[in-house]
Amino acid sequence: MRIGVMTSGGDCPGLNAVIRALVRKTEKVHGGTVIGFRDAWRGVLEDDFEVLDIERCRGILPRGGTILGTSRVQPYQFEDGVTRVAEAMRRHSLDGFIVIGGDGSLGAARDLMADGIACIGVPKTIDNDISATELTFGFDTAVHVATSAIDRLHTTAEAHDRVMVVEVMGRNTGHIAVRAGLAGGATLTLIPEVPFQIEQICEALTRRHNGNKFASILVVAEGAQPAAGSMSAAKYEVDRFGHERLGGIGQVLASEIEGRTGLETRVTTLGYIQRGGTPTAFDRILATRFGVAAADAAAEGDWGKMVALQSDNICRVELDAAVSHPKTVDLDFYEQVVSPFFAG
Ligand code: F6P
């Protein structure tokens, strides 16, 4: 067996753990070879690669980032992209590709299957927004980073009797926000799935701070939006891959709160700190399980699948089931578990 592997899209903690597990299982158990392509599909299109073996993967398990590099390049961005991928497969005698990616990369993998390019997906993103898997690796690390940041912000906010707005990542879903908000004891958690009412937020904060020396922590997911007509939303640029650059709602919200309530309000945007550095033990284990499962799926020739976590078991699902729609926050969980803690 000969397989290509790439890490595609935004990086996330645990990518190296997947690569290591995939290489070890492929080499030791299946007697196969893994070719690593640099910067995702760019490496395939430009034949930029290295042969990965157990030696090359020593010591990478706890390291963040990816030894292969990553990019948002996809074959469909080029007229002859699919032909060049097919040529690369022939040149390296590959059975197929293991695509470690988020929704965009896994969507391209699904489409490539229809064009005769064999792919297996491994779900990666700190956002945890991939359907058909309960978790993606990288998410647990991001939640830990955000939670410990919230813990630190509590003490400085208390010292100054301030409102502290903490903006976290998550694209158009609020998974990081709800978990970190709950674990960090946030006063309010705002998510993209539920447009927020600025009047209600300001009323709640005014009530809470009235005569009390309280700190308030507002966790806001980068994709959160105000209810239509209530206040102006953050504006987003689009990068050269058509990917919306989210971020900025924290600042907009903080200005609005301070302007409306007079409460001293500060903002902290956690940004790429959530994505960098060493993965948690949980993410290392999940990434390792995914890497092993991807090697087994390739050995069985079970292409067109994504490895997934369901009820603590690793299984395989159709790529299409994973990418047809994003996995959003369960609104019952948000209403029943997160909301009761709001602005008490
Ligand atoms: O998808 C992961 C993610 O970290 C999002 O939470 C964030 O919006 C985005 O990537 C940022 O991506 P980029 O690396 O293109 O700035």
Side-chain angles (χ1 to χ4, degrees), residues 15-343:
L15 289 169
N16 286 323
V18 179
I19 296 169
R20 171 182 172 272
L22 177 78
V23 168
R24 290 183 83 91
K25 185 84 195 253
T26 300
E27 195 178 314
K28 279 192 140 173
V29 179
H30 301 302
T33 302
V34 180
I35 313 287
F37 289 95
R38 297 200 184 95
D39 303 337
W41 291 104
R42 185 202 65 76
V44 179
L45 296 171
E46 297 177 9
D47 209 28
D48 188 1
F49 68 95
E50 62 176 309
V51 177
L52 297 174
D53 59 13
I54 291 176
E55 269 318 303
R56 170 70 174 102
C57 295
R58 275 197 207 290
I60 68 172
L61 171 66
R63 277 176 51 197
T66 158
I67 59 166
L68 289 174
T70 184
S71 76
R72 295 197 192 277
V73 172
Q74 305 288 352
Y76 292 107
Q77 291 158 357
F78 306 88
E79 221 166 87
D80 59 350
V82 177
T83 312
R84 282 158 68 191
V85 171
E87 278 165 17
M89 279 185 83
R90 275 193 295 278
R91 192 180 316 119
H92 293 282
S93 308
L94 297 178
D95 297 299
F97 294 96
I98 308 296
V99 180
I100 311 172
D103 54 350
S105 312
L106 297 172
R110 173 204 51 194
D111 297 344
L112 283 164
M113 280 296 299
D115 278 330
I117 309 291
C119 292
I120 288 166
V122 178
K124 156 252 62 157
T125 169
I126 64 165
D127 303 335
N128 197 32
D129 60 353
I130 308 286
S131 290
T133 183
E134 283 157 15
L135 288 171
T136 54
F137 66 89
F139 173 62
D140 185 65
T141 307
V143 170
H144 269 71
V145 170
T147 303
S148 74
I150 294 168
D151 288 347
R152 286 175 181 279
L153 291 168
H154 266 294
T155 61
T156 172
E158 278 158 19
H160 291 267
D161 188 20
R162 277 176 175 158
V163 177
M164 195 66 81
V165 175
V166 189
E167 183 182 306
V168 299
M169 284 185 164
R171 292 211 69 74
N172 298 311
T173 62
H175 299 286
I176 298 177
V178 294
R179 298 279 158 180
L182 208 48
T187 316
L188 284 163
T189 299
L190 310 179
I191 60 173
E193 290 86 342
V194 183
F196 61 84
Q197 300 284 349
I198 188 68
E199 298 83 8
Q200 284 177 11
I201 293 171
C202 290
E203 275 167 30
L205 290 172
T206 305
R207 255 198 326 273
R208 180 175 158 85
H209 285 256
N210 184 21
N212 299 310
K213 212 166 156 30
F214 271 153
S216 293
I217 305 277
L218 262 72
V219 174
V220 57
E222 61 181 358
Q225 292 287 335
S230 56
M231 63 176 256
S232 58
K235 301 216 171 4
Y236 303 120
E237 290 169 18
V238 173
D239 70 15
R240 66 193 173 97
F241 300 109
H243 190 77
E244 224 177 30
R245 238 182 233 162
L246 300 186
I249 186 66
Q251 189 57 62
V252 173
L253 189 63
S255 308
E256 196 77 21
I257 290 171
E258 195 166 77
R260 287 181 184 233
T261 64
L263 295 167
E264 216 183 352
T265 307
R266 296 286 190 270
V267 58
T268 299
T269 302
L270 295 183
Y272 297 91
I273 291 182
Q274 296 158 95
R275 226 163 83 168
T278 188
T280 57
F282 181 89
D283 276 338
R284 294 180 203 189
I285 293 165
L286 181 60
T288 298
R289 295 175 77 193
F290 279 165
V292 164
D296 292 343
E300 287 172 32
D302 198 7
W303 305 100
K305 299 286 165 57
M306 181 187 82
V307 295
L309 182 77
Q310 288 179 6
S311 308
D312 207 30
N313 292 313
I314 303 293
C315 58
R316 297 174 199 160
V317 299
E318 295 296 330
L319 271 169
D320 193 48
V323 296
S324 50
H325 60 278
K327 182 180 69 196
T328 51
V329 168
D330 177 351
L331 293 183
D332 286 342
F333 176 76
Y334 183 70
E335 293 303 335
Q336 290 165 22
V337 183
V338 184
S339 298
F341 290 93
F342 277 10

